Amino acid sequence: MNADRPLLEVNALKKHFPIHGGLLGQVTAKVYAVDGVTFDIRRGETLSLVGESGCGKSTVGKAILRLFSLTEGEVYLDGERIDNMRAGKLRMMRKRVQVVFQDPFSSLNPRMRVRDILAEPLVNFGMVHGRRDLNEKVEALMDKVRLPRDAINRFPHEFSGGQRQRIGIARALAPGADLIICDEAVSALDVSVKAQIINLLADLQDELGLALLFISHDLATVEHLTHRVAVMYLGKIVELTDRRTLFAESHHPYTRALLSAVPVPDPTARRQRVILKGDVPSPINPPTGCRFHTRCPFVFDRCRVEEPLLRPVGDGHLSACHLNQVPGGQVLPTAA
């Protein structure tokens, strides 16, 4: 293990889904779900992947989990490439990378008691020695996610949505994961419950040194949990920076539009709302040049023909927009 190297590295990841048609079922088109995404996550860090529905953020999470093969790109876990890993070694990778899904009810077996749901990964990965050891570890998992031990024999339908998500988190913790991918893990919960789950994840991260890939469409949610934010649009990352910089000095017009829609606690505060025109283009036929140019209020000719690269615009701040640079590489001033 190299302490200086990120825990997870994703390099130029692409996932294109073929569309079959015709009498012979030949490939007639492709869905460019993810089209060249690069980022890393360090131990104990939370990186949030945000964007509108259909931007490809959940596909990125599933690709890291090896739920399907990649079209192109590389994924490294602790310096070891995992996107082409054989089945035997892949089993141990899955022990280190776990997932918490959006709908806690559909992700839990309704015919299994909580005891069996939490015991399953412990047994599968050979982490227990005897019934007593198993019971102690299952009870410890219940304590970690702040569920009463006497609920251990209940079925998933006997819990509330927030409690079911705690069970999902406990199951992800069971094999001793280093990285947990939270795929819209709080979007189906009420506001108060959502805050409790976010606080739980933050406490677990401090206690266990977990790394989190937090996938969400809600910037207001990620503001309270994340260290860095990667904003996605139509299969590409358009801005990546730390939380403070993103909310104070975002560069990309799409990021600013998302931020303008975030509710503010002060009802007297004024904010200029950015209304994006039109709909998100189809990932089957993405626009040429900048993929955001069909909706961008600052579009000019270069945007329609040349794709902007994700370039540095500050210390650790990357943005993919032609507006951020002028000839000579000078960064343009950001809007207030």
Side-chain angles (χ1 to χ4, degrees), residues 239 245 248-252 256 313 317 323-324 331-336:
E239 188 160 9
T245 302
E249 301 178 42
S250 60
H251 277 244
H252 200 279
R256 292 177 179 175
V313 293
H317 188 173
L323 289 171
N324 292 328
V331 178
L332 291 178
T334 60

Side-chain angles (χ1 to χ4, degrees), residues 1-9 40-47 76-80 96 177-180 204-206 208-213 227-228:
M1 182 178 71
N2 186 347
D4 296 328
R5 186 165 187 172
L7 175 66
L8 180 76
E9 298 171 86
D40 60 55
I41 304 176
R42 297 193 171 274
R43 293 168 180 79
E45 180 187 36
T46 299
L47 175 72
Y76 293 87
L77 181 68
D78 212 5
E80 184 176 13
R96 300 184 61 192
D178 299 314
L179 170 68
I180 296 180
L204 289 172
Q205 186 174 51
D206 291 341
L208 304 173
L210 293 171
L212 300 176
L213 176 60
H227 297 96
R228 290 187 297 146

Side-chain angles (χ1 to χ4, degrees), residues 113-123 128 131-145 147-149 151-153 170-171 174:
R113 298 180 187 273
V114 172
R115 176 192 300 276
D116 300 321
I117 290 173
L118 300 185
E120 189 174 43
L122 294 170
V123 173
V128 291
R131 173 61 64 178
R132 181 175 180 180
D133 185 34
L134 177 62
N135 290 338
E136 289 177 353
K137 288 184 176 178
V138 169
E139 290 175 351
L141 287 169
M142 295 288 282
D143 294 340
K144 281 188 184 301
V145 296
L147 285 175
R149 291 188 177 187
I152 207 166
N153 289 313
R171 182 178 59 183

